[in-house]
């Protein structure tokens, strides 16, 4: 054996330098070392395209953060949290017993799965992802594994996930479940967090949290994921993991992957941990300057500044901002997972409802420019890179110019022109010949004049069919 290795070393040493270099540059990147292969590791690109097709077409989904934290709604013992509502237990170090006691007050009789699904549909959303269990450990579903759940521990005794599944089926919307697999502040062992770049942190503030992480994983997390996968028929179509922490080693994550592999159509995100990349990149509360070219990605964002309901968070984004976000994301080939946070009665806050309905009105007319589209073909970025500001990755921050965006289909290019544009818009060069143009909102599709040269495309600012937020010009294209 030793002799063979010696022979190899000698053979390599005698290779000319250029050949040695080639050896190394041709070396494939080391594949992830997780012990169980996932669907992403084994399927062909064509199989992946089929699996991801509905998700790529959808472009717009509803995130729902709803759980026991809606009861304190940001305030506990006279103290208001300055952070996101669903983190209140952790941020104010609420003892486990006190937090669990909120369950007795949780009776969300105002919850209507029908109305929430109808709201998502009216907004133009194609799928819903709801928190089945967040970091507080409270299951929003009928779990036989752990009694700290909405059916057993509250006077409500209903399973909102089941009701949503029924309604989604009826109303033709897809349903996914969020599950916090590695963080659980009420289950023994569930606070054994190791944060990236830090020494192990226990995260404890109560003796009741003591315990083994592996026991938590084996007795609660994995069995609950199994319940979620098995008990809702064709749903979930998405599993949205979160905060893997370093506790999700390849070996531990592999146990979850073994379960997921039983559902070959399932889509799951990049937050399982243990070196598994999942299907989707998940930028949170921001839109990456250039998206993730060649990857599936989904920006998740709040409408105000919290995911879980906080009674005093009234910092709602305008419909204009929300729509621009959706258009911007679509122009970069991503999905927008926009959050709502129902209150302790199960009611969606009115400012959130209003905005979603307004977005839906725009989508009714202009949805064609969003659904099933691919990224912009214009290479001139609609914005510039800052000399001074840096993005999260430490690179120059991209400052968007909010005058227009573009999305693409096989034989059409859409230009979404933001309010305020006047005169002639000089768009960059388009690698397709434009054969005609019309305003998407014009039922008669009256031709709009444009000029296309090698330098670019000139189109007029909207006239006649002006939308107060974004007016869409359709370019019919060939080639
Ligand atoms: O800690 C959570 C947070 O509460 C929320 O659920 C978001 C949604 O993406 N994810 C985590 C932070 O990344």
């Amino acid at each position: 054996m030793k002799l063979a290795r010696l022979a190899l070393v000698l053979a390599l040493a005698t290779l000319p330098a250029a050949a040695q270099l080639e050896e190394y540059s041709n070396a494939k990147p080391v594949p992830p070392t997780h012990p169980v292969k996932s669907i992403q590791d084994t399927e062909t690109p064509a199989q992946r395209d089929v699996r991801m097709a509905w998700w790529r077409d959808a472009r717009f989904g509803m995130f729902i953060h709803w759980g026991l934290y809606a009861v304190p709604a940001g305030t506990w013992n006279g103290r208001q949290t300055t952070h996101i509502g669903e983190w209140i237990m952790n941020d104010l170090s609420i003892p486990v017993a006190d937090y669990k006691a909120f369950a007795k007050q949780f009776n969300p009789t105002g919850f209507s799965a029908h109305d929430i699904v109808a709201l998502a549909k009216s907004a133009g959303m194609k799928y819903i992802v709801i928190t089945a269990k967040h970091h507080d450990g409270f299951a929003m579903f009928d779990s036989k594994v752990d009694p700290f759940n909405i059916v057993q521990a509250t006077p409500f005794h209903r399973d909102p996930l089941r009701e949503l599944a029924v309604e989604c089926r009826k109303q033709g919307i897809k349903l996914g479940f969020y599950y916090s697999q590695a963080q659980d502040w009420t289950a023994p062992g569930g606070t054994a967090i190791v944060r990236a770049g830090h020494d192990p942190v226990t995260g404890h503030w109560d003796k009741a949290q003591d315990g083994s992480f592996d026991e938590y994983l084996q007795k609660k997390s994995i069995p609950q994921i199994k319940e979620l996968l098995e008990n809702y028929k064709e749903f979930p179509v998405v599993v949205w993991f979160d905060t893997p922490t370093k506790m999700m080693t390849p070996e531990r994550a592999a146990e979850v992957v073994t379960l997921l592999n039983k559902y070959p159509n399932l889509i799951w995100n990049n937050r399982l941990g243990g070196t598994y990349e999942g299907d989707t990149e998940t930028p949170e509360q921001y839109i990456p300057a250039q998206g993730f070219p060649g990857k599936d990605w989904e920006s998740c964002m709040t409408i105000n500044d919290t995911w879980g309901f906080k009674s005093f968070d009234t910092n709602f984004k305008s419909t204009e901002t929300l729509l621009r976000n959706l258009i911007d994301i679509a122009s970069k080939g991503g999905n927008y997972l926009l959050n709502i946070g129902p209150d302790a009665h199960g009611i969606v806050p009115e400012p959130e409802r209003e905005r979603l309905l307004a977005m839906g009105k725009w989508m009714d007319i202009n949805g064609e420019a969003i659904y099933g589209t691919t990224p912009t073909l214009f290479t001139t970025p609609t914005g510039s890179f800052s000399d001074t500001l840096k993005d999260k990755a430490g690179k120059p921050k991209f400052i968007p110019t909010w005058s227009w965006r573009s999305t693409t289909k096989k034989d059409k290019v859409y230009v979404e022109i933001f309010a305020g544009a006047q005169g002639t818009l000089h768009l960059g060069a388009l690698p397709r010949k434009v054969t005609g143009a019309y305003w998407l909102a014009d039922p008669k599709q009256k031709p709009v004049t444009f000029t296309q040269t090698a330098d670019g495309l000139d189109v007029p600012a909207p006239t006649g069919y002006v939308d107060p937020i974004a007016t869409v010009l359709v370019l019919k294209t060939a080639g």
Side-chain angles (χ1 to χ4, degrees):
M1 200 53 199
K2 266 188 186 161
L3 270 177
R5 213 177 301 151
L6 186 68
L8 184 70
V9 170
L10 282 174
L12 271 177
T14 52
L15 272 179
Q20 277 192 40
L21 199 69
E22 205 184 351
E23 282 281 321
Y24 289 111
S25 56
N26 283 344
K28 288 207 173 118
V30 183
T33 53
H34 38 247
V36 171
K37 281 193 188 336
S38 65
I39 180 98
Q40 299 87 358
D41 296 330
T42 52
E43 72 192 338
T44 64
Q47 285 169 328
R48 183 181 166 81
D49 288 345
V50 171
R51 191 166 61 85
M52 296 303 293
W54 75 262
W55 190 93
R56 290 176 186 161
D57 280 353
R59 288 286 170 258
F60 192 22
M62 174 185 271
F63 214 176
I64 307 179
H65 274 69
W66 191 40
L68 203 51
Y69 37 80
V71 173
T75 309
W76 180 66
N77 271 353
R79 285 167 67 201
Q80 283 194 343
T81 176
T82 51
H83 190 209
I84 41 184
E86 70 282 6
W87 270 75
I88 190 167
M89 178 179 181
N90 187 303
D91 291 326
L92 303 188
S93 302
I94 303 179
V96 171
D98 291 12
Y99 191 83
K100 282 192 162 182
F102 288 138
K104 292 193 199 76
Q105 299 170 49
F106 193 35
N107 194 13
T109 50
F111 169 76
S112 158
H114 171 274
D115 291 358
I116 290 193
V117 176
L119 176 62
K121 273 199 89 161
S122 303
M125 293 159 154
K126 300 288 188 189
Y127 61 107
I128 293 176
V129 178
I130 182 167
T131 46
K133 186 206 81 156
H134 206 267
H135 314 326
D136 64 353
F138 182 72
M140 288 293 284
F141 62 100
D142 187 8
S143 174
K144 306 293 180 237
V145 166
D146 186 288
F148 188 45
N149 69 65
I150 189 161
V151 176
Q152 289 182 53
T154 76
F156 190 51
H157 298 306
R158 279 163 48 187
D159 179 344
L161 266 50
R162 184 166 306 283
E163 294 178 20
L164 280 169
V166 170
E167 276 305 322
C168 283
R169 204 165 290 135
K170 262 195 212 152
Q171 298 190 43
I173 278 222
K174 302 211 180 277
L175 181 64
F177 298 147
Y178 166 112
Y179 192 88
S180 172
Q181 75 280 21
Q183 209 174 166
D184 192 315
W185 306 322
T186 47
T191 46
I193 304 165
V194 180
R195 286 193 195 284
H198 289 69
D199 285 337
V201 176
T202 63
H204 284 51
W205 56 93
D206 185 333
K207 273 217 78 61
Q209 295 165 319
D210 288 356
S212 126
F213 180 78
D214 279 310
E215 216 162 289
Y216 154 69
L217 204 64
Q218 296 304 330
K219 296 218 168 124
K220 183 169 178 184
S221 181
I222 292 178
Q224 282 197 335
I225 294 170
K226 196 158 179 277
E227 288 185 316
L228 289 168
L229 290 170
E230 284 176 357
N231 294 347
Y232 299 87
K233 298 197 177 142
E234 77 274 35
F235 299 133
V237 289
V238 169
V239 177
W240 219 97
F241 295 108
D242 207 0
T243 62
T245 77
K246 282 194 182 162
M247 298 309 287
M248 289 308 284
T249 57
E251 291 69 29
R252 287 171 175 145
E255 293 200 46
V256 178
V257 168
T258 303
L259 287 182
L260 302 175
N261 281 349
K262 294 190 184 143
Y263 303 85
N265 297 322
L266 196 65
I267 293 171
W268 43 282
N269 69 356
N270 65 344
R271 300 191 185 190
L272 173 64
T275 73
Y276 287 97
E277 286 176 12
D279 294 303
T280 54
E281 298 295 315
T282 53
E284 181 169 323
Q285 298 287 37
Y286 76 99
I287 302 170
Q290 272 131 349
F292 289 87
K295 285 192 166 181
D296 293 298
W297 64 277
E298 178 188 60
S299 272
C300 56
M301 291 196 183
T302 50
I303 296 188
N304 47 1
D305 292 328
T306 184
W307 302 92
F309 180 71
K310 230 168 96 169
S311 64
F312 49 92
D313 183 339
T314 54
N315 192 25
F316 297 101
K317 295 170 188 77
S318 65
T319 304
E320 183 181 63
T321 298
L322 299 171
L323 265 176
R324 280 182 175 183
N325 286 349
L326 172 61
I327 296 167
D328 191 26
I329 290 168
S331 80
K332 294 166 181 169
N335 282 13
Y336 192 24
L337 188 62
L338 183 58
N339 185 70
I340 59 165
D343 67 15
H345 305 288
I347 306 283
V348 179
E350 192 52 26
E352 295 181 358
R353 218 175 70 85
E354 268 169 21
R355 283 157 177 77
L356 293 191
L357 293 178
M359 291 180 87
K361 287 216 169 106
W362 187 89
M363 288 293 275
D364 280 347
I365 297 170
N366 301 294
E368 182 192 316
I370 301 294
Y371 303 125
T373 56
T374 50
T376 181
L377 293 176
F378 291 99
T379 44
T380 331
T382 43
S384 56
F385 289 93
S386 168
D387 289 337
T388 47
L389 303 172
K390 300 268 188 263
D391 67 12
K392 286 191 175 178
K395 297 195 179 126
K397 192 175 163 70
F398 184 74
I399 313 290
T401 309
W402 291 108
S403 52
W404 62 277
R405 287 290 180 274
S406 175
T407 46
T408 313
K409 277 194 188 156
K410 221 169 161 198
D411 53 357
K412 282 180 188 155
V413 164
Y414 302 90
V415 184
E416 297 88 10
I417 304 169
F418 294 120
Q422 281 174 357
T424 301
L425 278 159
H426 303 283
L427 315 180
L430 184 68
R432 282 188 193 176
K433 185 172 163 43
V434 180
T435 57
Y438 61 91
W439 299 111
L440 185 52
D442 176 4
K444 294 204 174 117
Q445 303 191 353
K446 220 172 94 217
V448 168
T449 329
F450 63 91
T451 322
Q452 186 172 27
T453 64
D455 289 344
L457 194 68
D458 285 357
V459 298
T463 45
Y465 292 93
V466 184
D467 183 278
I469 296 178
T471 311
V472 180
L473 183 68
V474 185
L475 305 173
K476 295 192 270 183
T477 62

